[in-house]
C-alpha cells in the first residue's frame, strides 16, 4: 500500500482533530524515522518531547518486553512489585515526598487540580465550592473539559461549554498580573515554566521566582506543569530549576514513558498529595507494573546517557548556529536546551513542508512558529544538518 492509500483511509475513517504532515511513518530508530516508501527523516519534534530518549530505545524496549512477559496489570486494588520502585526512583531523583501515577498528561493535570482544591478546603480553610486557581494566558495543559475551560485559545475551547468554573487567567510572564488576581479563595497558581504549545515562550528572568514568593506570601500552592519542559528538554531535569524555586506539585508525563507507553503523574509534598484518601481519586491503569517498569527504564536512560547535560550544551550549540542565519523571514529565535522556537514573519507551514522534503520533520504551531525539539540523544552532526537545511529553506 502506498502513502496516499493510508492517507485516504485516515481522512475518510478518522475524526479530523489533527492536521498531520503527509508523511506515513513505518519505522524509527533513535533520531531517525522512515516512511513507507523508505525515505529517511530526522525527527525534530520528538512527539512533542515524549521521545527525549530517541525512538525505540533498546533499554526501554527490553524493560517493557521483560515486564510484559511477567505481569502487566493488577489495578490498584492489589499491590505490585514495580510501582514502589518507581516511587523510590522518583523520590531519589527529584526529592519530592510522594508521587501519584496516571496515564496521560491531562489526567495528571486534573489530579493536581483536584489535590489543590482539596488542599484548599481541608488545609487552607477555603469555603466549599469557592476554590480558585490562577493560570497563565496562552497556556496549554491538555484537552479535558475542565482543562480547556481555562484555555484562552479559541480552537481548544470553542463550542465545548458549559465550562468548569474556578479558574482565572493572568498575563503569562507578568507576576503583578497574578498577584492582582489573588483572592481569599485562591488555592493555587498553575503554570508551565516555559510554554511549549504556545511556541516555546520563555518568560522574563525572575518571573517564576516572583510567583513563588507571591505563593508563599498568600499561602497558595505553586503547581508547575513540566509535562513538556521536564525530564531534560529545557537543559535541566526540570525547567523550574533555572529559577531555583521549589514547587508544591510538579506534573510530569510525555518522556516519562520513553515513547513506549503513556505514563504521567504528579510529584508533590506530603501536605499536598496527602489530601487523598482511599477511594477519593484513581485510575484503572495508573501505576500499573508495565508503566512503572517502562518509566524506570526511561528515567535511567535520561540519567545514564547524560541527556539533561547534553540538552543544555547541544541546545546552546544549535541556538548559536541558528542565530547566525540572516533572513528577513525570521522574527525571533529563542530557546532553552534542545527546545527552540523559530518565529517567522509569515506562516510557517510552507517551510515545514519544504523541510519535510529535505528530510527534516518539524511542526508549526500558532501559524508562524516552528518548534524544534529533536530527541536529546541527537549528535552535533545531526544538528549541523538541521541548521543547514533550515538555512537552505529560509534563503530560497
Ligand atoms: C502535552 C501536554 C499536556 C497534555 O498531555 P497529554 O498526554 O496530551 O494529555 C499538558 N501540559 C503540557 C505542558 C503539555 O505539553
Amino acid at each position: 500500500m502506498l502513502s496516499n492509500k493510508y492517507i485516504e483511509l485516515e481522512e475518510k475513517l478518522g475524526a479530523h482533530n489533527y492536521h498531520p504532515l503527509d508523511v506515513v511513518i513505518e519505522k524509527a530508530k533513535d533520531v531517525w524515522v522512515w516512511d513507507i516508501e523508505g525515505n529517511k527523516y530526522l525527527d525534530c519534534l520528538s512527539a512533542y518531547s515524549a521521545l527525549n530518549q530517541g525512538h525505540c530505545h533498546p533499554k526501554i524496549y527490553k524493560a517493557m518486553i521483560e515486564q510484559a512477559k511477567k505481569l502487566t496489570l493488577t489495578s490498584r486494588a492489589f499491590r505490585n512489585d514495580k510501582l514502589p520502585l518507581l516511587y523510590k526512583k522518583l523520590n531519589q531523583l527529584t526529592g519530592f515526598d510522594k508521587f501519584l501515577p496516571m496515564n496521560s498528561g491531562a489526567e495528571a493535570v486534573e489530579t493536581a487540580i483536584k489535590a489543590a482544591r482539596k488542599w484548599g478546603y481541608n488545609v487552607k480553610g477555603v469555603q466549599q465550592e469557592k476554590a480558585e486557581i490562577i493560570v497563565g494566558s496562552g497556556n496549554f495543559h491538555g484537552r479535558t473539559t475542565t482543562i480547556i475551560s481555562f484555555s484562552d485559545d479559541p480552537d481548544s475551547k470553542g463550542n465545548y461549554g458549559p465550562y468548569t468554573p474556578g479558574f482565572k487567567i493572568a498575563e503569562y510572564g507578568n507576576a503583578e498580573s497574578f498577584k492582582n488576581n489573588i483572592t481569599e479563595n485562591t488555592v493555587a497558581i498553575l503554570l508551565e515554566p516555559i510554554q511549549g504549545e504556545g511556541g516555546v515562550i520563555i518568560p522574563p528572568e525572575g518571573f517564576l521566582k516572583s510567583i513563588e514568593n507571591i505563593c508563599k506570601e498568600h499561602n497558595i500552592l505553586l503547581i508547575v506543569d513540566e509535562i513538556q519542559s521536564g525530564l531534560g528538554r529545557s537543559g535541566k531535569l526540570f525547567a523550574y530549576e533555572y529559577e531555583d524555586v521549589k514547587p508544591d506539585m510538579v506534573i510530569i508525563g510525555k518522556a516519562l514513558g520513553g515513547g513506549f507507553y503513556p505514563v504521567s503523574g504528579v510529584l508533590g509534598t506530603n501536605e499536598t498529595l496527602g489530601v487523598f484518601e482511599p477511594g477519593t481519586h484513581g485510575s484503572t491503569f495508573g501505576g500499573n507494573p508495565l508503566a512503572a517498569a517502562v518509566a524506570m527504564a526511561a528515567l535511567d536512560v535520561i540519567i545514564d546517557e547524560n541527556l539533561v547535560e547534553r540538552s543544555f550544551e547541544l541546545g546552546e550549540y544549535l541556538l548559536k548556529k541558528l542565530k547566525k542565519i540572516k533572513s528577513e523571514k525570521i522574527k525571533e529565535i529563542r530557546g532553552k536546551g534542545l527546545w527552540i522556537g523559530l518565529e517567522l514573519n509569515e506562516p510557517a507551514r510552507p517551510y515545514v513542508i519544504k523541510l519535510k522534503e529535505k528530510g527534516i520533520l518539524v511542526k508549526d504551531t500558532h501559524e508562524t512558529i516552528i518548534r524544534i525539539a529533536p530527541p536529546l540523544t541527537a549528535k552535533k552532526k545531526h544538528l549541523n544538518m538541521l541548521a543547514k537545511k533550515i538555512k537552505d529553506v529560509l534563503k530560497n
Side-chain angles (χ1 to χ4, degrees), residues 104-107 109 140-143 192 197 225 227-228 254:
S104 71
E107 280 175 298
V109 173
F140 181 87
H141 295 286
R143 300 293 194 170
E192 299 154 87
E197 295 309 297
D225 181 346
I227 291 172
Q228 190 163 157
K254 291 202 167 105

Side-chain angles (χ1 to χ4, degrees), residues 1-16 20-24 36-37:
M1 209 152 85
L2 290 171
S3 284
N4 59 351
K5 286 284 169 208
Y6 289 98
I7 294 168
E8 254 174 58
L9 274 176
E10 186 170 326
E11 290 303 303
K12 182 159 176 249
L13 302 176
H16 292 179
L21 279 184
D22 284 336
V23 52
V24 180
I36 58 165
E37 276 91 17

Side-chain angles (χ1 to χ4, degrees), residues 197-214:
E197 295 309 297
V200 194
I201 307 293
I202 303 165
E205 217 180 300
F207 168 63
L208 204 58
K209 193 74 197 170
S210 306
I211 293 289
E212 183 189 45
N213 290 333
I214 290 169

Side-chain angles (χ1 to χ4, degrees), residues 65-106:
I65 294 301
E66 278 177 7
Q67 188 59 40
K69 283 181 197 158
K70 272 172 73 181
L71 177 73
T72 55
L73 183 63
T74 54
S75 84
R76 298 286 305 279
F78 311 124
R79 299 180 192 269
N80 69 68
D81 71 344
K82 285 294 170 301
L83 182 57
L85 305 183
L86 174 61
Y87 288 155
K88 186 171 165 203
K89 195 175 280 292
L90 282 168
N91 168 267
Q92 285 172 345
L93 189 61
T94 69
F96 278 95
D97 300 328
K98 286 189 181 302
F99 181 65
L100 196 161
M102 285 279 140
N103 313 283
S104 71

